[in-house]
Amino acid sequence: MVPLIELRGAIPYAVGFGLPIVPSYIVSVAGNILPVPFIFLFGRKFLEWGKDKKIIGGFFRWCLEKGRKGGAKLEAKAGRGLYVALLLFVGIPLPGTGAWTGTLAASILDMDFRKSIVFVMLGVVLASVIMLAASLGVFGAVSLMTHP
């Protein structure tokens, strides 16, 4: 559920430390999806409120800029397929393209709430499948090398 790390860190951690895969997967996905509606509804408002505050202003401005840049990338690549682009933006596990950034970008772009939430959730599932497959492959290969 932590921004920037999200399930992109939780799933490899679970696999690497030998935690039970199914419960770890479910908790990672649920934890990544849980804040999405709240970020959409309140994230931009909260960041706008805090951007001029003395101690937190710099971080809040950084978050707003990250959301604006994410939104600009989505609009530039998407054209009419904005929601599919949102799904892919969230679903392809690259740094800075997770559920938090995608949802904030959707909020800043004033995209439809329900459609945005559904497509972000689908993106989270896509990212989780990719991360699980990659983690099992990497840690499986390491296990084979260390225990022939």
Side-chain angles (χ1 to χ4, degrees):
M1 207 177 348
V2 178
L4 302 175
I5 298 171
E6 301 176 0
L7 61 75
R8 290 157 166 82
I11 290 175
Y13 181 90
V15 172
F17 282 93
L19 300 176
I21 291 177
V22 172
S24 298
Y25 178 84
I26 292 169
V27 168
S28 296
V29 171
N32 205 175
I33 289 174
L34 185 66
V36 166
F38 301 103
I39 293 167
F40 190 95
L41 294 172
F42 305 112
R44 180 174 57 172
K45 292 174 187 170
F46 183 66
L47 293 172
E48 291 287 346
W49 167 83
K51 72 180 182 185
D52 298 326
K53 304 297 184 253
K54 198 174 209 174
I55 295 173
I56 58 174
F59 177 70
F60 281 37
R61 284 188 300 277
W62 177 82
C63 290
L64 281 167
E65 187 58 29
K66 187 131 182 81
R68 281 191 197 94
K69 285 180 181 177
K73 283 182 186 177
L74 279 175
E75 280 187 316
K77 291 181 181 178
R80 291 183 5 184
L82 190 58
Y83 292 95
V84 173
L86 178 61
L87 181 151
L88 294 173
F89 182 84
V90 173
I92 297 174
L94 298 171
T97 63
W100 287 67
T101 306
T103 304
L104 186 57
S107 176
I108 288 172
L109 292 174
D110 289 321
M111 294 170 67
D112 179 72
F113 173 76
R114 286 191 176 122
K115 285 172 89 173
S116 296
I117 299 307
V118 167
F119 280 86
V120 167
M121 288 179 178
L122 291 171
V124 167
V125 171
L126 175 61
S128 70
V129 169
I130 292 169
M131 289 308 301
L132 183 61
S135 298
L136 290 172
V138 167
F139 288 110
V142 168
S143 175
L144 285 175
M145 289 189 291
T146 59
H147 304 352

